[in-house]
Amino acid sequence: MSEENNRQPAPEQELSEILQIRRDKLAALQQEGRDPFQQTKFTRSAWSEEIRSDYDGFAEKTVSVAGRIMSKRGMGKAIFCHIKDDKGQIQLYIRSDAVSTQEFADFRKYDIGDIIGVTGYVFKTRTEEISVHVQSVVLLSKSLRPLPEKFHGMTSTELKYRQR
C-alpha cells in the first residue's frame, strides 16, 4: 500500500476569532502579491538603545530600525507606536503625508506583534520623547498569534518551549 493512500487530511481545527482574523489579514496580503514572508533582508543602521543613549549624534539624521510592534495609538492622520528590538524600545511617529497612501493604509492594519522595518529621521516630540519620524515602512513578518499578556507573561516553562 502506498504512503499517499495512508495519509489522511488532518481535520481542520477551529481557530479562535483573533487567530482567524490574523490569518485572514495574511491571506489578503498574499492575494495582493505582498507576502510579508518573501521579504528576506532589511538593513538596519542603528539599534533603538544607541539612538536613545546618543540622541545628539543621531538628531535629524536618517536611520533604519526594525523591531516588533509593542503598542500602537492612532490619532487621525498620525500614528504613534513603540517597536522593540534586541537592545531596547523606541517610539515611531507615522504621518499620513510623510509616507505613501498605501503604506499608511497598510500600517493601520498591522497588529501588535508584527515585525516591521522603518526608515526615517530622529527627533524629539513635544513631550521630549526620542522618536523616529517614519518616511518608509516595510512589513517584515506577520504575527499570527497574539503576544502573551504583558503583566503576567508566560509563567509555564513547558508552555514557553511548546508554543515558541
Side-chain angles (χ1 to χ4, degrees), residues 106-126:
D106 288 345
F107 192 82
R108 283 199 173 281
K109 297 177 190 172
Y110 294 164
D111 297 314
I112 292 177
D114 291 351
I115 299 173
I116 59 170
V118 299
T119 303
Y121 61 89
V122 179
F123 77 109
K124 278 190 180 178
T125 62
R126 277 186 261 155

Side-chain angles (χ1 to χ4, degrees), residues 22 25-30 32 34-42 65-69 72 102-103 106-119 134 136-144:
R22 288 180 180 224
K25 286 181 180 181
L26 175 63
L29 283 171
Q30 289 171 335
E32 294 171 6
R34 296 181 295 134
D35 189 355
F37 300 121
Q38 296 299 317
Q39 175 76 24
T40 58
K41 186 170 183 161
F42 182 81
V65 293
R68 184 178 296 271
I69 298 174
K72 194 165 112 176
Q102 181 68 45
E103 285 178 323
D106 288 345
F107 192 82
R108 283 199 173 281
K109 297 177 190 172
Y110 294 164
D111 297 314
I112 292 177
D114 291 351
I115 299 173
I116 59 170
V118 299
T119 303
V134 176
S136 72
V137 61
V138 175
L139 179 64
L140 301 175
S141 180
K142 183 78 181 138
S143 173
L144 297 178

Side-chain angles (χ1 to χ4, degrees), residues 1-100:
M1 207 173 199
S2 72
E3 269 186 43
E4 292 176 19
N5 293 340
N6 289 337
R7 291 187 187 160
Q8 296 293 324
E12 189 128 346
Q13 294 180 346
E14 296 236 358
L15 298 173
S16 70
E17 184 178 353
I18 193 163
L19 295 178
Q20 189 59 49
I21 290 170
R22 288 180 180 224
R23 282 183 172 67
D24 292 343
K25 286 181 180 181
L26 175 63
L29 283 171
Q30 289 171 335
Q31 285 177 351
E32 294 171 6
R34 296 181 295 134
D35 189 355
F37 300 121
Q38 296 299 317
Q39 175 76 24
T40 58
K41 186 170 183 161
F42 182 81
T43 306
R44 176 192 329 240
S45 66
W47 296 92
S48 60
E49 189 55 40
E50 292 173 357
I51 295 169
R52 291 171 63 91
S53 63
D54 184 24
Y55 171 73
D56 295 331
F58 284 101
E60 300 299 322
K61 290 187 180 170
T62 301
V63 295
S64 295
V65 293
R68 184 178 296 271
I69 298 174
M70 300 306 287
S71 67
K72 194 165 112 176
R73 301 170 306 284
M75 300 174 186
K77 293 184 178 185
I79 300 173
F80 285 95
C81 83
H82 282 91
I83 62 168
K84 185 173 186 173
D85 60 17
D86 292 345
K87 300 188 179 185
Q89 187 167 317
I90 193 159
Q91 179 173 276
L92 303 179
Y93 175 65
I94 300 100
R95 282 190 53 95
S96 61
D97 57 355
V99 296
S100 72

